[in-house]
Amino acid sequence: MTKENDDGSRRLKSVKQAFDMIEYLRTDGPTTLSDVAQSLDLPMSTAHIHLATLVDSGYVVKSDGKYQCSLLFLRTGGELRDEMPLFRAAKNEVDNLQEKLGEIANLATIENGYMVQLYKSENAESIDDNAPLGDHFYMHTTATGKSMLAHLPQEDCEDILERRGLPRSTEGTIDDYEELMTDLETIRERGYSINRGEHFGGVCAAAVPIMSKNHSVLGAISLSGPISRMSDERIEDEISPELFDKKNIIELKLKQY
């Protein structure tokens, strides 16, 4: 069965249902057939057919009567990330950044109007929001997201903000368009972005964008830690020079790919 979207394109309802099921298992699994059917408002027979097909494909596993996503998703995501030139060029530099400064170092990219967490380097003393790799965040709420927004063409930036809006993650999130535009202008002038509790309370981050040789935005790197250890003076005198150094090295490496 197909259905037509608002843009006139057609979609397979069964494929949509299968992905809704995978997303439900990702967030709520392991869970039973009846829970899946009830939560997704599907007949038991339809839910069973979808789950049985996903189990046969290997992307869902069943144990003790409960279903959950399989580790094939880890293989798929890992292979995809490992083949990205951005990740290959940045991983060692991000690790080095963390070793030098002791806080969590992050690598992110942009996809479908969201900031995507690609890699995180941390140690036992590190503190941040514990976001899982691959998670998608609103661009305006994170240091990496704002650094990328600030260096996108204005039309692309406005398109993302129109599509995704300015929802608040914390009381500190900038949810006013004009205030955000002022912040993005400051980021362009200063070269790096700062997020003080805008995504996760008590956590601060500073970030710089990673640009291609054609000056398009590929991603961003950041250093994040508790606000008490991320003063304006430390960011200006110690953290930003290291971020700029790693940015330069990563962008030079990317020219090899």
Side-chain angles (χ1 to χ4, degrees):
M1 180 177 180
T2 61
K3 128 174 162 176
E4 191 167 291
N5 268 24
D6 292 340
D7 62 1
S9 58
R10 295 175 71 77
R11 303 289 188 267
L12 283 171
K13 183 179 179 181
S14 60
V15 174
K16 173 68 165 56
Q17 288 174 337
F19 276 99
D20 286 345
M21 195 167 292
I22 288 170
E23 185 65 15
Y24 177 74
L25 294 178
R26 183 186 71 83
T27 57
D28 292 86
T31 190
T32 63
L33 167 62
S34 60
D35 284 342
V36 172
Q38 182 177 4
S39 297
L40 298 182
D41 195 24
L42 294 172
M44 287 279 285
S45 58
T46 301
H48 182 264
I49 291 171
H50 278 302
L51 288 169
T53 303
L54 290 168
V55 169
D56 286 345
S57 74
Y59 281 92
V60 169
V61 293
K62 181 182 179 183
S63 177
D64 297 327
K66 293 187 176 182
Y67 298 86
Q68 66 184 49
C69 294
S70 83
L71 294 178
L72 277 179
F73 286 102
L74 177 62
R75 184 191 71 180
T76 302
E79 288 178 352
L80 178 64
R81 184 191 67 173
D82 291 351
E83 289 302 312
M84 292 178 66
L86 174 63
F87 175 75
R88 293 162 66 186
K91 180 183 181 299
N92 289 341
E93 304 311 318
V94 171
D95 285 336
N96 184 258
L97 183 66
Q98 186 279 319
E99 290 168 7
K100 275 191 170 184
L101 298 180
E103 309 294 352
I104 289 182
N106 306 278
L107 172 67
T109 191
I110 181 172
E111 181 179 74
N112 199 27
Y114 291 104
M115 182 281 278
V116 183
Q117 183 97 345
L118 280 183
Y119 181 64
K120 179 188 298 187
S121 184
E122 56 190 322
N123 62 30
E125 303 299 319
S126 302
I127 298 175
D128 77 341
D129 58 3
N130 295 317
L133 295 180
D135 219 342
H136 288 52
F137 300 106
Y138 291 104
M139 299 277 286
H140 70 289
T141 67
T142 67
T144 48
K146 289 198 296 180
S147 71
M148 291 188 282
L149 274 179
H151 290 83
L152 287 173
Q154 185 66 22
E155 182 179 350
D156 294 345
C157 176
E158 290 176 356
D159 177 65
I160 288 172
L161 298 179
E162 182 178 347
R163 282 191 293 147
R164 303 302 174 204
L166 294 173
R168 300 179 79 174
S169 296
T170 70
E171 290 297 315
T173 302
I174 299 175
D175 60 354
D176 177 78
Y177 179 82
E178 293 302 329
E179 184 181 353
L180 179 62
M181 290 300 104
T182 299
D183 192 30
L184 297 183
E185 180 59 32
T186 299
I187 292 167
R188 282 189 288 271
E189 293 173 356
R190 187 175 54 201
Y192 62 87
S193 63
I194 298 177
N195 157 22
R196 289 197 174 277
E198 296 164 47
H199 173 67
F200 192 81
V203 173
C204 175
V208 294
I210 303 299
M211 312 294 289
S212 74
K213 61 184 177 182
N214 297 321
H215 308 293
S216 60
V217 176
L218 296 177
I221 57 171
S222 72
L223 198 81
S224 59
I227 286 177
S228 60
R229 298 204 298 250
M230 300 283 288
S231 66
D232 288 340
E233 291 77 15
R234 187 185 180 207
I235 291 173
E236 178 66 25
D237 298 338
E238 181 184 13
I239 294 173
S240 65
E242 290 292 341
L243 286 170
F244 288 132
D245 178 61
K246 298 308 178 189
K247 167 185 169 69
N248 183 46
I249 294 171
I250 293 167
E251 289 175 350
L252 287 173
K253 284 185 175 181
L254 279 166
K255 293 180 180 180
Q256 303 171 12
Y257 296 104

